[in-house]
Amino acid sequence: MLVAAAVCPCPPLLVPEVAAGAAPELDAARAACTDALGVLAASRPDLLVVVGPAEKSGRGPHPEGARGSFAGFGVDLDVRLGRPDGEGTDPGTGGAGPASPERELPSSLAVAAWLLERTGWSDAPVEGLGVGEPLEAERCVQAGRQIGERAGRVALLVMGDASACRTLKAPGYLDERAEGFDAEVARALAAADVTALKTLDTSLAHELKAAGRAPWQVLAGAAEGAGLGGALLYDDAPYGVGYLVAAWS
């Protein structure tokens, strides 16, 4: 059963070495992520599953000890998911196939691995799941249900950005619908509103380049019947992209 969840954004800019001179601009977001991970540690889980958006090559399960790299962002920095000698198992992907330790973590899970290393996570085994942006809502929810059944006490670290269309200089340019979409997601995360997350407009999320949509719906599936409460710890769009941090427990 799901006992706690942390929701964090996943821009590589969260990593100070990647952000370089712009690093201080996300200090508040990093602090909020640290607080959210503290909620996970306090829940004393038997298993932590990290869920984040992924391109095709990074979709499916990633075992504990899987490697990630920020070399693609011009930084000589490698990370590992959880303990380097861990043995991951399939967190329930609806036939995604066996976990492969040779595959590199998608960037969202690499950012998660960096957050876990930064906070000194050692409380429970860690596994990763990369989900594709096109994955239908019901399949996301079903994957979440399967994750919630994996252990007596399961925690989730859910990585994903909100819309990328909040300003003229945003990656997706300005879309007047973006602010309202992000506000609804923020409200749902603050209230641990499982129904609202399950029924997010998938077409609108795609148009607004909201990479967190599928991971949030995995969270919704895992949280069904868990009776968790929510708290929104951060809500801003410093680069025209909505970054949200929340904790459920």
Side-chain angles (χ1 to χ4, degrees):
M1 171 178 268
L2 188 71
V3 295
V7 177
C8 296
C10 59
L13 289 173
L14 270 182
V15 180
E17 291 88 342
V18 175
E25 296 176 16
L26 289 181
D27 279 347
R30 293 184 194 98
C33 290
T34 298
D35 291 343
L37 265 64
V39 172
L40 297 186
S43 74
R44 301 178 64 184
D46 301 318
L47 172 68
L48 172 65
V49 179
V50 183
V51 181
E55 298 298 327
K56 188 171 293 187
S57 63
R59 294 173 191 169
H62 295 267
E64 185 162 37
R67 296 174 180 269
S69 172
F70 294 98
F73 302 95
V75 175
D76 184 16
L77 176 64
D78 294 331
V79 292
R80 281 183 181 268
L81 187 64
R83 294 169 293 194
D85 58 348
E87 294 182 359
T89 52
D90 185 348
T93 61
S100 171
E102 290 79 21
R103 289 194 305 152
E104 187 171 290
L105 294 171
S107 65
S108 65
L109 299 191
V111 172
W114 176 83
L115 286 171
L116 291 168
E117 288 183 3
R118 180 174 182 258
T119 55
W121 179 270
S122 61
D123 299 83
V126 183
E127 299 173 7
L129 177 64
V131 292
E133 188 276 336
L135 195 63
E136 299 91 342
E138 183 51 41
R139 291 189 62 194
C140 293
V141 171
Q142 181 59 34
R145 290 176 184 143
Q146 293 172 346
I147 290 171
E149 296 169 353
R150 288 289 312 285
R153 299 180 64 82
V154 178
L156 273 180
L157 174 52
V158 182
M159 308 298 292
D161 302 339
S163 74
C165 303
R166 291 280 292 271
T167 66
L168 292 173
K169 293 184 178 180
Y173 198 65
L174 177 65
D175 190 313
E176 294 180 353
R177 302 171 296 173
E179 187 171 354
F181 176 87
D182 289 356
E184 172 57 20
V185 174
R187 188 208 63 77
L189 293 176
D193 189 336
V194 169
T195 300
L197 292 181
K198 286 166 64 174
T199 56
L200 285 174
D201 187 329
T202 57
S203 296
L204 179 59
H206 174 73
E207 292 171 13
L208 296 177
K209 303 183 186 300
R213 189 274 306 171
W216 299 330
Q217 291 184 320
V218 173
L219 167 61
E224 287 178 338
L228 303 182
L232 188 67
L233 307 181
Y234 181 86
D235 178 3
D236 203 356
Y239 303 109
V241 180
Y243 295 153
L244 301 167
V245 180
W248 291 16
S249 63

